[in-house]
Every structure is written in C-alpha cells, then in structure tokens.
Amino acid sequence: MNPASTPSGRPDVLVVGGGIGGLGAAFALARQGLRVRVLEQAPAYGEVGAGLQLAPNCTRILAEYGLLDEAVSLGVVPENMVMRDAVDARVLTRLDLRDLERRYGFPYLVIHRSDLHGILLRACERAGVDLLNDRIVTGYENTDDGALVRLADGGVESAPLVVAADGLHSVARRDLIGDDVVNSSYVAYRSAVPIDHVAENGIAEKDVTVYVGPRCHFVQYALRGGDMFNQVAVFESPKALAGQEDWGTPDELDTAFEGTCDTVRKGIPLMWRDRWWRMFDREPIEKWVHGRIALLGDAAHPPLQYMAQGAIMAIEDGWVLARHYAGAAEPDATPDRDAALAAYEAVRVEHCRRVQTTARSWGALWHLEGDDRLRRNTILRARDEHDYSFTDWVYGPTALAPDEEPAMFTPVPLSSAPVGEPAA
C-alpha cells in the first residue's frame, strides 16, 4: 500500500510525539540532512512538570548539538549530589559533581523540563523540521516503501521511516507489542516555587539532595539560575496496594511523610496538590524495530525515575538513530535502511534494559525500612566519595558506543552489613 503524499510533501522520517524524545530525535535526524515531520496530538507544543536532571551522558550530546550553552544559561550546574536519610537527615553518601565533570568531560545540569523542551523545539524550527499539531495517531502500519500512521480525523501520513516517540501509553507499543504498563504503587508530587519561599527550610541551594525512605523519598534542587526551587515527593500508596481506584491522593502524601525530618516536612505543604503522577514502567523488550516502525524513548523503555535517566535515554536514542540511519537514507541506499535500524536496536536495547532494571533496584534500596534501612545506611556511608563504579556504565560514553562492556554495580547483600545507626 502506497498512500498519496501529503500536500507539503512526503518526509524522509515521520516522528510521532512532540515531547523531549520526539523533538530530540527530530533534531538529530534533521541535522543529518533528512526531511523530518513531527506529529503532536496537543494543540500546541509544550511540556508539563518541573525539574529534570541531565547527567554527563546527556550534556555530552547537547554539546555536540551546539545547545549546551543555552541549557546551562537556563538551568543550574549544582556542586554536589547528596543522599540523606529521610528520617534523621544524616548524610549517607555524596557525589562531587565538579569532579564528576572532570571525569566525564561534561557537566551535571538541572533544568526545568519546559526549558529543555523549548531548547529542542527552537532547534527543530531552525533546522526546518515540519512541526504539526492536533494530529492524533490511532494506528501504525508498514507499507511497501516504509510505514504509515492513521489519524483520528481519517487522514494518513507516511514516510520511509516512522519513529514512534509517543510515550508511556504508546499506541505503537500497543499495536506492535501488546503488553501493559507495570504499576509500581508509587506516586510522585512535584512543585517548583520561587526560592525565597523555601529559604528558611534548611535547603541546600547548590546541591541536588535526595532524602531516602522508608517507603518514600524527597528530592530538592534549584532551577533557573537559582531563582526557583524544585521539589519532588514520592511515596508508596496504601490505596494502590489495596487495589483502590482513587490512589495517590493528597491525604496519602501527608501521611507518608509524617515521620520524616524537619526539612522534608517543611517542603511537603508546598507540593502541587491538584495533580500527581502515578509511577509506571514496563517490562524491558528486545525488539524495538518492526519493519520501518521504530520505537523510541518511553515507548521503547519507560523507566521508573530513580536513576533520573528517562529523558536522557530518549535523547540518546535519537542521537544513535540519526547516526546509523542518516547514511542509509539516500534513495539508492534502500537495502541498507533495515541494517541501520537493526544497528540502532543493537546499540540501545541492552543499555536501556539495564537502566530500567537498575532503576527498580534503586527504588527498592531507597525505600527500605526497619533493620534493612539501617544496614543500607551503613553500606552507603562506607562508600568513597570518588567511587564511580555506580556511574561509569551509565554516564560514560559506552551507552552510545558499547564496544567496551560497562561494569555493572552489584549491590552488597544487606545481610552482610551490621545493624545500627552510624555516627553522625
């Protein structure tokens, strides 16, 4: 089947989804000389949410794209990442983010989600990407010379390659894989407020601070040059565990953090209470490419948030896809397109599986209670500040060019650590 071209011409690549992953892929492909069209279901391009953490594996790509300076100007480059116990506020471990930058060559940056989205949107506009709104995709189909998508209004769009960057609840994932999301029973509340609203709350303005457990965690860091302050409160919902429909409500938020330290309790009243984000992921899959339809970002590998890699992985996907696909997109290179897509899949699948499964393990580690919490604290406090075995495999360049097998972090069994509170 070969549907007629759209009035503005048939693109080389059709990207479904105008979020961070979709725009990142569109720009990566356009800068390789491909004609790219993005279909976004919303009436306007934009992002909801608050802060994002961009580790060196992402800022490395932004630097190559010529976008890092703009991102730094809109965000904050923190000095440390500090993990504290949520109950007593004691420091468990830290990363010196300035030393991290020296190690990997690129900074650790925090930025408002809408600011990063705006950077990528403007880059796409400059690169000539065709950005369309109000395009609700209802189905995907391979064709003799590529793939097509069907729209809710009865229209059809086609291209030699369709990239499905349509998020956690991806239509392409539904059609091609047919699996369902996995409910973690955890929920996230967010807020971003002027920093003077929290100045008296005992905050660390120059650090990313994570307060962990039991069955909850709380994240804080500054945004927008230090003018704003981002907070994320995550907790396990008793209502979700009981199978109730109405779960993650503000009353559960307040209850979950009742036993936490002073700084955390002072932050909880500032959380947005008219919206919350239930935390889902999916089981890792090994097949992302189906004919000329390629999954990307959360459609391929939605992680839980504990490694702060979700948006980063989507940006990495676009970078890898563009590098492999661009050389095969010439009219006389049709036989090579399948090999290029297979290479994209080969590079990304195993790395993203590791991130997904490690994120689940980290979430379990953060949310321990009782004696397991005390053992965890003892282990974390024994870690050397400059031990990068936790980060080399994900922040280093091997995720993009995995010729060298990255080392994996093997958690120390909790039973091997003594029970007891460490000294302050």
Side-chain angles (χ1 to χ4, degrees), residues 220-298:
Q220 295 181 316
Y221 52 85
L223 290 173
R224 291 183 171 161
D227 292 336
M228 295 188 70
F229 200 68
N230 183 68
Q231 300 188 125
V232 184
V234 176
F235 62 92
E236 187 177 48
S237 164
K239 292 180 183 177
L241 293 173
Q244 295 180 225
E245 293 287 332
D246 180 28
W247 63 275
T249 48
D251 59 303
E252 289 193 307
L253 167 70
D254 293 332
T255 300
F257 289 92
E258 281 179 349
T260 57
C261 64
D262 187 60
T263 299
V264 174
R265 288 199 314 273
K266 287 180 178 178
I268 295 301
L270 300 175
M271 309 311 293
W272 298 328
R273 291 175 176 251
D274 59 342
R275 73 201 94 165
W276 50 89
W277 288 260
R278 294 171 175 177
M279 295 179 63
F280 300 91
D281 66 354
R282 289 181 186 263
E283 297 297 338
I285 55 173
E286 296 189 3
K287 188 167 181 59
W288 296 6
V289 176
H290 299 257
R292 294 293 175 79
I293 303 167
L295 302 178
L296 182 143
D298 279 356

Side-chain angles (χ1 to χ4, degrees), residues 123-157:
C124 284
E125 291 170 342
R126 293 192 298 269
V129 174
D130 190 12
L131 299 162
L132 303 182
N133 295 98
D134 289 315
R135 302 304 199 275
I136 299 174
V137 172
T138 59
Y140 293 73
E141 182 180 327
N142 279 292
T143 67
D144 294 341
D145 61 350
L148 63 81
V149 298
R150 299 192 180 279
L151 305 178
D153 64 4
V156 171
E157 292 272 359

Side-chain angles (χ1 to χ4, degrees), residues 376-413:
R376 176 205 64 199
N377 291 357
T378 300
I379 292 169
L380 290 177
R381 286 174 66 89
R383 174 189 165 269
D384 186 284
E385 183 174 328
H386 300 290
D387 173 10
Y388 294 106
S389 60
F390 291 82
T391 58
D392 279 346
W393 71 274
V394 65
Y395 294 170
T398 54
L400 303 180
D403 296 327
E404 301 178 11
E405 182 69 10
M408 283 296 295
F409 164 55
T410 302
V412 178

Side-chain angles (χ1 to χ4, degrees), residues 90 370-371 373-378 381 417-423:
R90 292 176 177 175
D371 287 349
R373 164 181 160 256
L374 304 182
R375 294 188 181 101
R376 176 205 64 199
N377 291 357
T378 300
R381 286 174 66 89
V419 178
E421 287 288 4

Side-chain angles (χ1 to χ4, degrees), residues 29-93:
L29 291 157
R31 69 190 293 268
Q32 297 284 357
L34 298 170
R35 295 169 301 166
V36 183
R37 177 172 300 148
V38 179
L39 306 180
E40 166 56 38
Q41 66 178 352
Y45 281 84
E47 269 285 356
V48 297
L52 279 177
Q53 300 180 51
L54 302 181
N57 55 317
C58 184
T59 55
R60 174 186 295 112
I61 295 173
L62 294 181
E64 181 182 315
Y65 289 171
L67 304 176
L68 181 57
D69 288 345
E70 184 180 4
V72 169
S73 73
L74 294 175
V76 170
V77 178
E79 295 180 358
N80 301 283
M81 181 180 293
V82 181
M83 181 173 286
R84 294 178 178 268
D85 186 281
V87 176
D88 59 29
R90 292 176 177 175
V91 173
L92 303 178
T93 190

